Each structure stands twice: as structure tokens, then as C-alpha cells.
Amino acid sequence: MRAHVLGCCGVLALVSGCAIGPDPDQRPIPEVPARFVEVEAAPDAAGAQAPSIARLAAGDATLAALLGAGLAKNDDLRIAVARVAEARALLGAAEADLFPTIESFAEAERRRQSGNADERGGDGVTENRFSVGVQSSWELDLWGRLRSAAAAATFDARAAEASLHDVRRSLAAEIAAEYIRVRGLRAQLGIAQRGVVNQERLATITDALAREGAGTIADVRRVDARLERTRAAIPPLEAAVRVSVHRLSVLCVLAPAEVASLLEASPDAISVPESLAAGVPSDLLRARPDILASEFELAAATARVGVATADLFPRVTLLGDFGVASGEIGKLFSGDSIAFGVGPSVRWPILNFGRVRAQVRAQGARQQAALAAYEQVVRRAVAEVESALAEHRGALGERARLELAIASAIEAQRLAQLRYSAGADPLIAVLDAERERLEIEQQLEDSRTRVLTAYVAISRALASPVAGPRVAQMAP
């Protein structure tokens, strides 16, 4: 008897090794370029470094503090962490389906049957029934339905974890970019304020010259108009700074006053390496969490094809129960009250093949959609890196030219003011020189901001580390 049972178990184990449907572990290998085009177009430079937001934070305590707050408390991260916990719980439930289930029960019932229910009539009968026991069931995974469902849940959990890392990556880049943006706005505000001071000084000189007869009222009015125009640029810049502060307060879950206080302590300048190492496009397939999440979603969709296909075959479940039952509670635990049952249950949707096959086709279509989405994510990732590299090179070139231009503009303004004071040039020359200098200073600061934001964009696109040892992260 024991040998017979062991033999049956061996047969069941052999049969349960079969699985229906495609293998979710067979992943597609997307085609990616051998090198980034923008890296090929840029001159090679020794000492190139991979861009990293962590490197920025290591040299900037303000950015490190903002990143630490955001990566510890941001609402999007809390949502992503909760989704990871949900996916892991569903994985536990799917894995539990592979094992037998055991339930206990206890019932007490008093029932009276109708005396008129029988043709012979008569008095109704009142009966008592008491029962206690356990029931168990175990679906034999002959076609791999449950294992495919567990595999799909495993890939769902991995996709949720990768999505959490992607939220961290995007959040860190968004915080860094907004921080750089508000710094640039504050610098432009400072330029405008210095322009107001310079033009107020010029207005004083022009007014004095007009009173002495060396100038005209028209000159005074021109200076006043230029002064008010420069003053008019200040309120929009102040508003833009406040908007960025509010954005940072939401991203970092800090009060606007806390953000403003941190910004006051920020360093005067941020330096980043100009020669960047971008690696090769194939590195993105394992570095980018959004690509990994899409890959796991494809694997989950593939596993669910197996789940749908297994429904075409019989579902065999072993059922069993053991307990005691009696009409009298005093005899409930006597030997004659013992009751048990064991046996298989077979369910096969013979007349539902059209519906089941339609479900298989639908799941196959979902798998193809997941494959297309995966390939699209890969292509977009490569394009994102290329675009960020192109923006960075363009901003570097613009900044270099503007740095040359600002030196000339400062000297031109100084000479114009000297010649105007000596009566050699009209006031319009001074105003033009002042206007050109302010415009170039604003353009230069905007260019510096775009160099830094492009650096952050490259770091985000390459999925470089987002936090150093000083920056906390929310645990999943």
C-alpha cells in the first residue's frame, strides 16, 4: 500500500512538471545602436566622468538637504512604496495557492421539516445536527496554471520595485533641476537689481548735468524710461523664484519658508565636469529602472498566457474532510460520530472552449502590447540620452561665446560712460551699452542654468546614482 501511494505521488510530481504556454524567462533582446551619436560627434577628452546627481549633492549641502527630504518623504515615493507592498502581498497569495488549504468548521443546526411536504402528510419532524471538523483541498498543478500565476505575480512585484527606483530617479532629477532653475532665477534677479542700481546712478548724473545745462530734459526722460523698464523686469523674476520655491516645497515635503532658508545658504556657484562619459546604449538595458519595469511587465504578461492556456485542460483538485457529527451534542465525540471523506474533483470546461480560447487570444494580444511598450521604452531611453547630450554640448558652446561677449560688453559700457561724462558721446550710447550688457548677462546666466540642467538630464537619462551617503532614501 505504501509503495502504491509513493508511486502515485511520483507520477503526480512528474506530470505536474509540465507547463503550458510560452516561457516568461525568455526575454527579447532589443536592437540598440553600438554608440551614442552625440558622443561620436563630440571630441574625445581625457578624464571624462559619468554625470551624477550624487556628485552634485556631495559638493552642495543645500541640494543634499533637499534631496534627503524629498527621497524620504515625497508623496509619489510613498505611493510607489505602497504599490511594492501590495505587489509583494499578492505574490504571497499566488504562491500560497500552490499548497493545500485547510479549513476548520463547527456547525450547530436545529431544523424542523414540514409535515405537508410529503404526500402522506403527518407531523413535522424536528432534528438537531452538530458537527466539528476540518476540510482540505489541493489543486494539482498539472498544467502549470498556478505556477504561471505565481511567476506573473513575481514579475509584477519586480516591476513594482523597478518602478519605485524609477520614481526615485525621476524625483531626484526633478528636485535637482528645480534647484538649479531657482538658482538661475535668483542670479537673473540679482543682475536686474544691479542694473537698477547702475541706472539710478546714471539718472542722478543725467539730472545733475541737465540742471547745469550740460544735458537736456530729453536725456533725463530717456534714462527714467530705461530705469523703469529695468525695474519692471524684477516683479516677474521674483514671482518665478517664489513659484520654484513652492514647487520644491511640494517635491521635498518642506514648508516654503524652510526651502527659502536652505536656498539662502546655497553656494555661489556649482561646478560640473564638461567632459562626460556616457557609456554605450546597451548599458541602459540594465541601468534604467523604467526599462527593467517594462521588461518585467512583459514577462508577467507572458506568464499569464500560460495561465489562460491552462484553462483549456482539466482542473484536478484533491478534496478531503474529517470530523465528527451527531444529532445529540452529548454523543458528538463518540466513536460512531466520526465522519470523513476523500477523493478527487475534476472540472473541465468542455462546452466553454470558445470563451477560454478567446481569453487565450486576448492575453496573447496583451503580451504583444507589452512587447511593443518595452521596445518603445528602450528607443525612448536612447533618444533621451542623445537629446540631453546634444543640449549639453549646445549650452556649453553658447556659454563659452557669451563669456567672451560679456567681457567686451562690460568694457564697452565703461568707455561709453566715460565718453558721455566728457561730452564726447550722446547719452544714447551709454543707454545702448547698458542695455546690451544686461541682455548678455541675462543670456549668460540662462546658458549656465541650461548647462547644469542638461547635466542633470544626462544623469537622469543614464540612470546614474541619485544619492550619496548624506542623502536618505525611503525604504520599500
Side-chain angles (χ1 to χ4, degrees), residues 1-149:
M1 178 67 178
R2 181 180 180 184
H4 177 69
V5 171
L6 291 176
C8 291
C9 292
V11 171
L12 289 175
L14 179 63
V15 175
S16 64
C18 301
I20 306 299
D23 185 2
D25 289 320
Q26 295 296 322
R27 316 288 173 80
I29 302 177
E31 295 183 2
V32 293
R35 297 184 63 186
F36 290 113
V37 174
E38 294 299 330
V39 171
E40 293 175 349
D44 293 333
Q49 299 179 3
S52 170
I53 296 175
R55 185 175 292 111
L56 285 180
D60 189 330
T62 299
L63 177 57
L66 292 172
L67 287 172
L71 292 174
K73 300 186 293 184
N74 180 265
D75 295 326
D76 288 334
L77 270 182
R78 292 171 56 201
I79 294 171
V81 168
R83 287 174 177 167
V84 169
E86 176 191 12
R88 289 176 178 174
L90 292 175
L91 170 59
E95 290 176 337
D97 288 339
L98 293 166
F99 300 94
T101 61
I102 300 177
E103 298 179 351
S104 62
F105 65 89
E107 298 177 353
E109 181 182 26
R110 180 176 178 82
R111 178 184 295 274
R112 181 182 185 280
Q113 297 182 358
S114 171
N116 295 327
D118 196 312
E119 294 179 355
R120 295 170 296 181
D123 296 334
V125 178
T126 301
E127 297 179 338
N128 296 327
R129 178 176 176 81
F130 306 94
S131 60
V132 177
V134 293
Q135 297 175 332
S136 65
S137 64
W138 184 19
E139 180 179 341
L140 302 180
D141 195 21
L142 302 180
W143 321 112
R145 186 183 73 86
L146 298 179
R147 278 174 289 127
S148 294

Side-chain angles (χ1 to χ4, degrees), residues 219-232:
D219 290 340
V220 174
R221 295 295 176 259
R222 288 193 187 97
V223 172
D224 289 343
R226 177 66 64 183
L227 175 59
E228 294 305 323
R229 182 177 179 182
T230 305
R231 285 173 175 168

Side-chain angles (χ1 to χ4, degrees), residues 267-340:
D268 294 334
I270 301 177
S271 61
V272 295
E274 296 184 4
S275 181
L276 304 179
V280 294
S282 59
D283 293 340
L284 299 178
L285 301 181
R286 287 295 173 265
R288 296 252 313 201
D290 56 337
I291 293 179
L292 293 176
S294 183
E295 183 178 339
F296 290 136
E297 289 168 359
L298 171 60
T302 303
R304 289 190 173 92
V305 174
V307 176
T309 305
D311 285 338
L312 293 169
F313 299 89
R315 189 177 299 184
V316 180
T317 305
L318 295 181
L319 303 175
D321 62 80
F322 177 84
V324 291
S326 173
E328 300 179 19
I329 194 170
K331 298 180 179 180
L332 181 62
F333 295 101
S334 65
D336 292 338
S337 298
I338 295 175
F340 67 88

